[in-house]
Amino acid sequence: MAVATDKLTPLKSAVAGLNQISDSEKNGFISLVSRYLSGEAQQVEWSKIQTPTDEVVVPYDSLAPIPDDPAETKKLLDKLVVLKLNGGLGTTMGCTGPKSVIEVRNGLTFLDLIVIQIENLNSKYGCNVPLLLMNSFNTHDDTQKIIEKYSKSNVEIHTFNQSQYPRLVVEDFTPLPSKGQTGKDGWYPPGHGDVFPSLKNSGKLDSFLLQGKEYVFVANSDNLGAIVDLKILNHLIRNKNEYCMEVTPKTLADVKGGTLISYEGKVQLLEIAQVPDEHVSEFKSIEKFKIFNTNNLWVSLSAIKRLVEADALKMEIIPNPKEVDGVKVLQLETAAGAAIRFFDRAIGINVPRSRFLPVKATSDLLLVQSDLYTLDDGYVVRNKARQNPANPAIELGPEFKKVANFLSRFKSIPSVIELDSLKVTGDVWFGAGVILKGKINIAAKAGVKLEIPDGAIIENKDINGPEDL
């Protein structure tokens, strides 16, 4: 292992000189790099993989009903903290600032909806469920300003930052900030696996434990389906499960998502990156691996404390190569879901698809703003009028990629209750009150503006110009 030590010693002294970050960040980074250099096995032995039983991945329908007594419900909720991963920017959707401030529906942002949901729980049951936001150095300043508007609400909002690690220059294995890259580009947040040490280092973990909190519900801030579920919380408390990952049945859109397996007597997450090449197509099949990780996670606070203090959370490292101003750099990251194998009595719960409604692109925004959903007390609820359990497949061209462009191209969001699929390419503009049904392909010819008139009803059509309407 001489090579690794050769690289690590100069790196340690360079990192020691980075005064922008704390000692715990420096130590965490060095420990991550040394694990990476030691080349610990990432791949699994395919023959050892077993399909998890219903004891390990519990069907949601088999969970016990929640107690009728509101006082019991209050007791349950008073053990809970809700944590949203709020480190991401809205850049892919053409927005500045944290992604959680994009308006989702009725002028309300992701964050507004999250706060309204918890407000409703707190007032209904007289409990105190706090909201915790894990920011990155990219979102911290903006988020602090944004949450001032909730100061009158009955929800305690706490924020903390995930770690800030230096990007590594591939060529000579030095930290990019030591090379004069002083701005934000020299740094990266090391993935959401960092939620556990950061929660501990921030002091928030210990203060919640002192208040009698027992579980944290972790979810992506852009997953509109990740709402507090009392049946899940009740099950975990009764069965003393230290960790629970919500999984849901795969559709063809989810073939790349991580899945749960039983491996050497433990439940663990299997990600596509760990799969040997010759088994990738099998991994993507819906027959053998029927479920995938929603990244809705429920974790025991005392277990997090125990494992972080013992430095036992050694999740698989995800190397993420990037380029900054022509310099090839490496980001080493970890994922929170991969921590499942370190916790005692860890389980998956196979939840309804409604608990996974992420907004990653304007095509998702189209569905969420359409008549396919309604908004009720901050909850996005699917319209019962749609017979098909699957959502319509939406593919919008680059003209629709940014939220502002997307909104300007729809006079109002079309009705999609009876839509199977929609593909739009080119310079297309939608009038008000348009109704879309079946399979639709709209492709404007190059350089030609195609306008769909107000009130148009389009069913199972290919449209290339006004003559096709």
Side-chain angles (χ1 to χ4, degrees):
M1 287 318 297
V3 181
T5 329
D6 291 352
K7 283 186 168 175
L8 212 51
T9 313
L11 182 64
K12 273 184 189 166
S13 57
V15 168
L18 298 172
N19 51 16
Q20 301 94 321
I21 56 174
S22 67
D23 285 348
S24 60
E25 287 170 314
K26 292 175 185 177
N27 297 337
F29 177 68
I30 291 297
S31 130
L32 191 63
V33 175
S34 53
R35 280 208 298 133
Y36 172 71
L37 288 171
S38 72
E40 48 186 69
Q42 301 285 320
Q43 288 200 338
V44 291
E45 275 189 58
W46 201 253
S47 57
K48 288 185 180 173
I49 290 177
Q50 292 178 306
T51 304
T53 62
D54 280 1
E55 278 78 63
V56 180
V57 176
V58 180
Y60 183 81
D61 291 340
S62 74
L63 300 180
I66 51 166
D68 285 336
D69 181 359
E72 287 299 307
T73 303
K74 175 187 181 328
K75 261 192 215 160
L76 274 181
L77 284 168
D78 277 331
K79 295 178 176 179
L80 182 67
V81 176
V82 173
L83 189 159
K84 299 289 181 176
L85 302 170
N86 189 50
L89 293 165
T91 36
T92 46
M93 293 172 76
C95 298
T96 53
K99 184 172 178 190
S100 58
V101 301
I102 292 176
E103 289 187 2
V104 180
R105 193 168 171 129
N106 302 14
L108 298 169
T109 66
F110 289 104
L111 211 46
D112 292 338
L113 295 176
I114 290 162
V115 173
I116 292 167
Q117 290 164 12
I118 301 178
E119 269 179 344
N120 288 331
L121 278 180
N122 285 345
S123 27
K124 184 172 177 185
Y125 296 104
C127 54
N128 175 24
V129 176
L131 171 62
L132 191 49
L133 300 173
M134 180 167 86
N135 300 323
S136 65
F137 60 86
N138 288 316
T139 60
H140 172 266
D141 294 353
D142 286 337
T143 301
Q144 293 308 99
K145 287 195 200 80
I146 290 154
I147 60 176
E148 286 171 14
K149 73 172 185 177
Y150 307 120
S151 57
K152 301 265 192 303
S153 89
N154 65 0
V155 182
E156 258 183 51
I157 301 180
H158 301 257
T159 62
F160 69 103
N161 264 13
Q162 74 180 106
S163 304
Q164 174 173 339
Y165 285 176
R167 286 176 159 158
L168 273 175
V169 178
V170 172
E171 189 190 12
D172 58 2
F173 228 68
T174 52
L176 190 57
S178 318
K179 297 215 144 168
Q181 173 57 262
T182 48
K184 281 187 174 172
D185 281 350
W187 306 90
Y188 76 99
H192 46 58
D194 181 59
V195 63
F196 305 119
S198 290
L199 190 53
K200 173 78 179 71
N201 295 337
S202 70
K204 300 284 180 195
L205 181 63
D206 288 323
S207 77
F208 285 131
L209 282 165
L210 285 172
Q211 292 170 34
K213 304 293 182 194
E214 293 180 21
Y215 278 87
V216 60
F217 172 38
V218 179
N220 297 357
S221 61
D222 65 7
N223 179 8
L224 296 169
I227 61 181
V228 170
D229 188 294
L230 290 162
K231 281 171 75 169
I232 294 177
L233 181 59
N234 184 41
H235 182 90
L236 303 180
I237 290 171
R238 284 173 51 167
N239 294 281
K240 299 188 167 56
N241 303 109
E242 289 188 348
Y243 187 112
C244 164
M245 173 185 288
E246 294 185 39
V247 293
T248 198
K250 265 190 202 179
T251 67
L252 290 171
D254 316 302
V255 292
K256 289 184 174 156
T259 191
L260 284 181
I261 55 171
S262 290
Y263 191 79
E264 297 182 332
K266 280 257 186 201
V267 59
Q268 75 178 57
L269 182 67
L270 176 65
E271 296 272 19
I272 196 161
Q274 297 160 269
V275 177
D277 291 346
E278 64 273 22
H279 294 292
V280 167
S281 57
E282 195 181 339
F283 174 82
K284 286 180 170 179
S285 86
I286 299 182
E287 279 71 52
K288 180 164 181 176
F289 300 103
K290 293 184 167 69
I291 51 173
F292 75 100
N293 169 24
T294 62
N295 218 41
N296 298 349
L297 311 169
W298 302 72
V299 195
S300 151
L301 292 169
S302 56
I304 295 173
K305 183 176 166 73
R306 180 187 81 234
L307 292 166
V308 170
E309 286 175 351
D311 194 23
L313 294 174
K314 301 199 183 304
M315 283 90 89
E316 290 74 16
I317 295 170
I318 307 154
N320 186 357
K322 298 255 178 185
E323 206 166 286
V324 180
D325 300 331
V327 180
K328 287 189 164 53
V329 294
L330 188 60
Q331 298 182 181
L332 302 178
E333 302 174 10
T334 62
I340 190 166
R341 62 193 175 98
F342 301 105
F343 288 83
D344 294 335
R345 302 177 69 91
I347 58 168
I349 293 182
N350 194 346
V351 299
R353 181 77 188 199
S354 58
R355 295 190 56 74
F356 185 66
L357 182 57
V359 177
K360 300 291 180 196
T362 50
S363 52
D364 301 319
L365 216 45
L366 173 65
L367 293 178
V368 168
Q369 295 184 353
S370 74
D371 55 355
L372 189 56
Y373 290 94
T374 49
L375 199 55
D376 182 22
D377 280 348
Y379 299 109
V380 177
V381 185
R382 200 164 182 270
N383 189 333
K384 299 268 192 299
R386 181 167 173 90
Q387 310 285 302
N388 185 343
N391 275 352
I394 308 281
E395 212 180 311
L396 301 175
E399 295 81 1
F400 292 81
K401 188 173 190 267
K402 294 182 173 176
V403 174
N405 298 351
F406 161 81
L407 291 171
S408 69
R409 285 175 178 272
F410 288 99
K411 218 186 269 182
S412 72
I413 299 291
S415 164
V416 298
I417 291 280
E418 295 179 52
L419 180 69
D420 295 320
S421 66
L422 170 68
K423 186 177 181 182
V424 181
T425 45
D427 187 13
V428 179
W429 299 75
F430 288 81
V434 173
I435 298 174
L436 305 175
K437 302 179 178 190
K439 290 190 169 67
I440 300 172
N441 186 6
I442 303 174
K445 297 185 181 78
V448 179
K449 179 175 178 179
L450 176 54
E451 298 188 57
I452 308 296
D454 294 354
I457 298 173
I458 304 173
E459 187 165 2
N460 292 320
K461 265 192 167 170
D462 283 347
I463 294 171
N464 302 104
E467 67 281 357
D468 298 326
L469 282 160

